[in-house]
Amino acid sequence: MGRSDRWYVVSATPCRREVYAELERERRRNAELERRVRELSRSVQDLEAFSREISHDLKAPLAGICGYAQLLTHLDVGYPRPVDYDDFVAEINRGTDRMRRLIDDVLAYSTARGARLHLTTIDLNALIDDVVADRAVELPRPGAAPRPEPQITWERLPAVRGDHGMLRRVLENLLGNALKYVRPGEPAQVHISARTGPDGFVYIEVTDQGVGIPDGQHEAIFGELHRAHPDAYPGTGLGLTICRRIVQRLGGAIGADPQFRGGARIWFTLPAAGTEAGVEQVPVAADAVR
């Protein structure tokens, strides 16, 4: 037999049966976790789709109630009107208005996480100008007492990258809160400012001179259904929660300044125009509302 110039090194490590069993258990745990995550994702998508559908369906009968309540306001029921007639009609209008706002907030809350993003460069100055103009022509809520003319100012603001419709919702909510949470008889004073940081994000502040945020609630106000002043001011408790969902999806952060006194200061960040940082990519259900 001839000689061979090849050498072979063979090694073996004993593997105990317990190691194989543990690896198999780990594989099964991971498979079960993946299955539960898929089921949870489907459940969330189904719940969001249901919220969108039921919100739209509830608006139709509510519109009818609002219409008939407005007719009652102008209905000729003789003079003098029955006792408490106007108060009862005003209460109907207040209730339907609150229901409308609640439906709108539920719809916005359910779509903020899963709706498809349409990212573009946004001129904050033009957007805020539109939001303020809409507020100026907004009709007063039925039964609401007249308020002094608000004072809204803003600086020259940089452009940001985001979804125009979603960002408009954020500004509408923040401005609406700033105009609402004022002391009786005092005009709302709101100032909006922004600056671009070295990290490529725009830091935006909405500052008001209203009643402020109670101590210890500067984080809690962003929780679901939390209301800092539940007895004195109407609201659904979803506005700031919606803002947080939207801002986080757009790659930013949002918070309230606990050091600010004499009112409230809400800040949030967004990627500056021309950047690609941080936008949260979320799977979109086939029926997601655009």
Side-chain angles (χ1 to χ4, degrees):
M1 179 178 293
R3 297 178 56 186
S4 173
D5 58 355
R6 292 184 178 182
W7 291 84
Y8 297 89
V9 177
V10 179
S11 64
T13 302
C15 186
R16 299 169 58 184
R17 182 178 303 173
E18 290 80 0
V19 175
Y20 280 116
E22 179 60 30
L23 291 174
E24 179 62 18
R25 286 193 293 268
E26 183 68 19
R27 185 192 66 79
R28 291 179 179 178
R29 283 195 295 267
N30 290 337
E32 176 65 15
L33 181 60
E34 291 177 358
R35 184 187 66 81
R36 292 184 179 183
V37 169
R38 288 194 299 269
E39 289 182 352
L40 181 59
S41 297
R42 285 195 296 268
S43 297
V44 170
Q45 290 178 357
D46 291 343
L47 182 59
E48 290 177 347
F50 173 77
S51 298
R52 291 192 293 270
E53 292 174 5
I54 196 66
S55 296
H56 286 301
D57 291 343
L58 287 173
K59 282 189 173 183
L62 185 63
I65 297 173
C66 293
Y68 280 109
Q70 291 297 322
L71 288 176
L72 289 175
T73 304
H74 305 287
L75 187 65
D76 184 5
V77 293
Y79 185 84
R81 288 178 180 270
V83 177
D84 296 329
Y85 178 89
D86 290 333
D87 290 339
F88 290 160
V89 173
E91 187 61 33
I92 294 173
N93 284 321
R94 281 192 293 269
T96 54
D97 182 66
R98 184 173 185 274
M99 179 61 73
R100 176 189 58 78
R101 287 184 282 114
L102 179 59
I103 292 173
D104 288 342
D105 282 350
V106 169
L107 180 60
Y109 179 76
S110 65
T111 58
R113 175 177 291 160
R116 188 180 301 278
L117 293 177
H118 300 275
L119 299 177
T120 185
T121 297
I122 300 174
D123 181 351
L124 282 177
N125 301 282
L127 180 55
I128 292 175
D129 189 63
D130 287 344
V131 172
V132 172
D134 287 347
R135 284 281 174 178
V137 300
E138 188 178 77
L139 295 176
R141 291 171 182 165
R147 287 184 172 182
E149 189 72 21
Q151 302 173 13
I152 306 173
T153 58
W154 62 93
E155 303 170 4
R156 189 68 186 172
L157 307 172
V160 297
R161 177 174 176 265
D163 182 287
H164 190 278
M166 288 190 173
L167 182 53
R168 183 185 181 94
R169 181 80 188 196
V170 170
L171 291 172
E172 286 175 343
N173 284 351
L174 296 183
L175 184 58
N177 282 352
L179 297 178
K180 178 173 67 175
Y181 291 107
V182 295
R183 299 171 185 84
E186 294 186 1
Q189 301 181 53
V190 187
H191 183 69
I192 305 171
S193 60
R195 66 179 185 274
T196 303
D199 56 356
F201 280 81
V202 176
Y203 186 94
I204 305 158
E205 293 181 343
V206 179
T207 304
D208 66 65
Q209 305 297 321
V211 297
I213 302 170
D215 290 340
Q217 296 193 37
H218 289 77
E219 175 62 26
I221 58 174
F222 295 96
E224 298 174 359
L225 303 178
H226 182 87
R227 296 173 59 194
H229 306 278
D231 299 325
Y233 299 90
T236 64
L238 286 173
L240 289 177
T241 308
I242 294 168
C243 290
R244 170 166 282 183
R245 274 195 174 188
I246 292 175
V247 169
Q248 288 178 344
R249 279 209 66 192
L250 297 177
I254 188 171
D257 185 355
Q259 305 302 322
F260 184 77
R261 294 292 184 262
R265 173 172 290 157
I266 306 295
W267 59 266
F268 65 100
T269 62
L270 290 173
T275 64
E276 298 293 330
V279 176
E280 179 184 344
Q281 299 298 331
V282 178
V284 181
D287 60 348
V289 175
R290 288 179 178 267

